[in-house]
Amino acid sequence: MRLIAVLLAVLAAPLAAQQLRLPAVFGDHMVLQRDSEVAVWGWGPAGAVVEVSGSWGGGVARGAVDADGRWRVDLETGPAGGPHTLIVNSVGAKLELGDVLLGEVWVCGGQSNMEWSMDATADGYPSAEAYQAERAQADYPELRLFDVAHAFSWEPQEDCAGAWSACTPETVRRFSAIGYHFGRELHQELGVPVGLIGCNWGGTLCEAWTSIDGLSRRSDFGDALALIDELTHFPERAAWKKEQRLEEWRRHFRDAETGSKAGWMAAGYDDAGWPVMELPSSWEGSLGGFDGIVWFRREVDLPEAWAGRDLVLELGPIDDMDTTWFNGERVGEHMDPGSWQTPRRYTVSGSLVRSGRNVIAVRVYDTGGAGGINGQPGQLTIAPDGPGQGPAMVLAGEWRWQKGSPDGELPAKPAVSEFGHNSPAALYNGMLAPVIPFGMRGAIWYQGESNRTRAMQYRTLFPDMIRDWRRQWGRGDFPFLFVQLAPFAYGGDTGQAGDLRDAQRRTLGTVTNTGMAVTLDIGDPRDIHPRNKVDVGHRLALWALAQTYGDSALIHTGPLYYGMRVDGDRLRLYFDHAEGLGTRDGGPPSGFTVAGADRVFHPAEATIAGAQVLLRSDQVPHPQFARYAGGAADEPNLINAAGLPAASFNTGS
């Protein structure tokens, strides 16, 4: 009997070895949170006992694989250092991870300004050589990087794509610039290993990063959650309803949009009177921040050999939605908001292709930021489909263009018509769930641009997201540090950006253990992606060093408004962190407006009185409300002795 048992164990060993596995976030070169109890989890054969230990000591953590093949243990870590080995043992199987460090782990979340990589900031340096010098210094063996690949789902996913790597001049190129500068400063100041988990996606919404459980505690996402439930349990019915709603929206869109009604996509339409624009390019400067539809048309003279053949039309990335026609027939579209980084590649049926004159028409729909066909010249091409067909025809150059309808005149796409990366809970499920509950210290966050038009909702949605992350992670009220939006001239903004910034500021008072880096002095009103990520990372690091790591002597923030009093025909404003209150340029404080009971705001004359600011306006004899940096692109000048800028705020409810 004993021999039979041994033989069975030997035969079972290969199967057990295949079944025992860890999620991607556990791997060689990772950082585990020091001096803590961290979750280690994975999959294995049901009923098997799993033992996890680390070479730093601290004992063995044991657990059993449940009936669904999942297991989890909580393992004690030790002081900062390494390299160590993490060992996972089960029946007939062993996993061994090497070069494991114990240190500080932070999650780097948000949308494009957090996602913006080091390479993407290159043109923000004085020269290409200056950027290369900066990158060459990014050789930190104990700073480790893990980037979660883009993914979305209507159900929480168990794993993600990604791998840990040491920070080198090569690996840092594609990692979050803000994350890198934040992590590097912590590493240098604390003298311990630092691990960064990048979990970000450009153009994304706060609700997409919140779990179904978190959103179900609110009353404003019921339709979206109902769709998720339907997708999970009745997918065929959901698909039919999606197509019905989309078709209804397309019909309303065609009926409302100027160019669509006039047939600007038709091959025979006369566009001779249209102006000309060089593509690829952004229209943000030339059209004064216009948001809405701009049509582009281009005639192409195709050789006889191409007639009747399928073609591949490439247009590079378009900001941010498009529908494209070839000789009046629609050949493709990307009508999901947030597609601004997606290169367009459409197949043109040979039945549409003729020799000589052909017409390409592109309806570009921009809802904010730098609208246009924005790639590189080599990305605009047309060529026969298939290999060995000769050189492609380059389409970069002059295109005719014409404004269509502005954004405000177009019907909104149904929020529940389909499930995509910006659907509620989509990114939480696809990107966050796979790394929860990995042991970490805290999170840094840069997001809000995509929620700008719903600032009042953001006042509660953003705090709810933070609380949701904390519940899901189960690591208490961990530090959550975020960035107040930088100045940018959003087209048609009527105060939404200022209100969103104020919603962010209010989060400091409603959610414990939070911090906010202010960027009013380091933005770019002409670019929603300001290139200076060094100072953003530094200001987030100041909050971490002061609040999380206990450097109480560190001045970690600029002035923060906390109260107001009516003083005759003036308003007296009170600030925390206002030692040495002054202005960046030595002039009078700028960026303040006041209003009376009518809430009509007028520019205010501001004077500094110690740690306070007095406001008055001849146009408002009885002031009741004040704003600071209420305009989308405002770059005011109030600072404290450390040179850190005051945060944008609105004293109204």
Side-chain angles (χ1 to χ4, degrees), residues 109-111 201-212 214-215 218 221 421-429 432 445-452 454-455 457-469 480 500 504 507:
Q111 59 181 107
W201 191 334
T204 52
L205 296 163
C206 184
E207 59 265 32
W209 294 101
T210 309
S211 76
I212 292 173
L215 294 173
R218 302 174 56 89
F221 290 100
H421 73 284
N422 250 337
S423 296
L427 300 178
Y428 174 89
N429 288 337
L432 265 179
W445 177 258
Y446 195 153
Q447 190 274 337
E449 295 94 338
S450 291
N451 286 87
R452 176 181 57 89
R454 292 182 281 132
Q457 181 191 52
Y458 202 79
R459 284 192 186 183
T460 57
L461 178 60
F462 180 41
D464 281 351
M465 190 207 79
I466 298 172
R467 297 184 187 105
D468 180 51
W469 283 29
F480 196 100
L500 195 287
Q504 293 175 313
T507 301

Side-chain angles (χ1 to χ4, degrees), residues 80 158 510 645:
E158 294 186 326
T510 58

